[in-house]
Amino acid sequence: MRKVRARMRLAETGGAEIDGFLTASARYCPFIQQARAAGTIRTFKLAQRDAACAPTYDPTCAAGTAHLELFRDALHGLTHAFLAERRRLDRVPGRLLCYNVLLAGLPENTDHASFLGALHWPLKRDYTKAGLMFGKFWPGEDSHSPKHRQVMPNAPFPLISIRSAQRRGDGRFFSRSADLLQDYISWRASAETDQPLSPPASQPP
């Protein structure tokens, strides 16, 4: 990982901050209860060390882009840690691993949808073929389907979730991403033949 990660704080928390959101979300996502029952949900808090200097993300602004890169590098490092832990659990039935990463210390005027979207897409692009799924959630999100049915409750803070992909059901999340659907299908084929794909290489220092 790049040295820039030293400018971030990453700490595992007890999960109390997110328990209410997980309980509410379990009504909509069957994987949450499975992971909670197995004790394989972990919660982290990620923040820039000098939060007072953190600008709102703006792709046209150099400072905003640098701010984004700090979070992006830290999330890539955490994703590699996830992959290492998942390999230890692969042989244990029902062990669905899930990391929830709370993004703390963002400026009040942050456009959460834009900021999380800029973090979420590269993770999906780089790790779908390794059998990972990513979710993004934030306060005030319009979490309704095109038919106006609520699909998830609003999160109390911005967060990125990382979990193991499932062979059945997860394909529907790629209906608007044909390239990533092919990555998911490749992972599923390798999982069914018990030949897991290698994760992407670590970023250069």
Side-chain angles (χ1 to χ4, degrees):
M1 296 303 297
R2 300 173 187 171
K3 292 180 180 178
V4 74
R5 283 194 63 210
R7 295 171 60 187
M8 302 297 293
R9 294 193 311 272
L10 176 65
E12 185 163 6
T13 74
E17 292 178 88
I18 201 174
D19 277 349
F21 174 65
L22 292 178
T23 298
S25 299
R27 294 176 51 202
Y28 304 91
C29 176
F31 304 122
I32 291 174
Q33 196 56 40
Q34 179 184 348
R36 291 182 98 178
T40 52
I41 287 187
R42 298 177 65 185
T43 302
F44 300 86
K45 184 176 288 187
L46 179 64
Q48 187 170 346
R49 288 190 181 277
D50 190 358
C53 297
T56 297
Y57 169 61
D58 179 348
T60 67
C61 168
T65 301
H67 174 55
L68 173 76
E69 287 296 329
L70 292 173
F71 281 88
R72 186 175 289 166
D73 275 4
L75 283 166
H76 274 282
L78 194 56
T79 302
H80 278 271
F82 179 99
L83 284 166
E85 184 169 359
R86 190 185 69 174
R87 281 193 289 272
R88 296 195 296 272
L89 296 174
D90 273 349
R91 303 296 181 184
V92 183
R95 288 284 189 169
L96 176 66
L97 186 62
C98 178
Y99 284 7
N100 289 298
V101 189
L102 317 184
L103 306 185
L106 299 181
E108 290 185 6
N109 60 341
T110 296
D111 179 345
H112 291 140
S114 176
F115 188 76
L116 268 70
L119 293 172
H120 184 248
W121 171 250
L123 291 169
K124 290 177 61 176
R125 179 196 63 205
D126 293 346
Y127 296 101
T128 295
K129 202 166 185 176
L132 299 191
M133 297 293 291
F134 298 88
K136 59 184 188 297
F137 309 94
W138 63 91
E141 176 186 5
D142 181 8
S143 55
H144 291 78
S145 71
K147 295 183 178 180
H148 307 291
R149 182 176 62 87
Q150 186 171 15
V151 293
M152 284 291 282
N154 270 189
F157 25 63
L159 69 95
I160 294 282
S161 68
I162 309 169
R163 69 165 170 84
S164 303
Q166 299 299 292
R167 298 177 197 178
R168 295 182 181 179
D170 276 347
R172 69 186 185 280
F173 292 115
F174 301 102
S175 59
R176 298 181 182 177
S177 270
D179 291 345
L180 292 184
L181 176 60
Q182 290 307 308
D183 284 349
Y184 168 77
I185 290 171
S186 294
W187 164 78
R188 191 173 62 189
S190 71
E192 288 171 353
T193 57
D194 201 27
Q195 296 176 357
L197 295 167
S198 299
S202 298
Q203 297 205 7

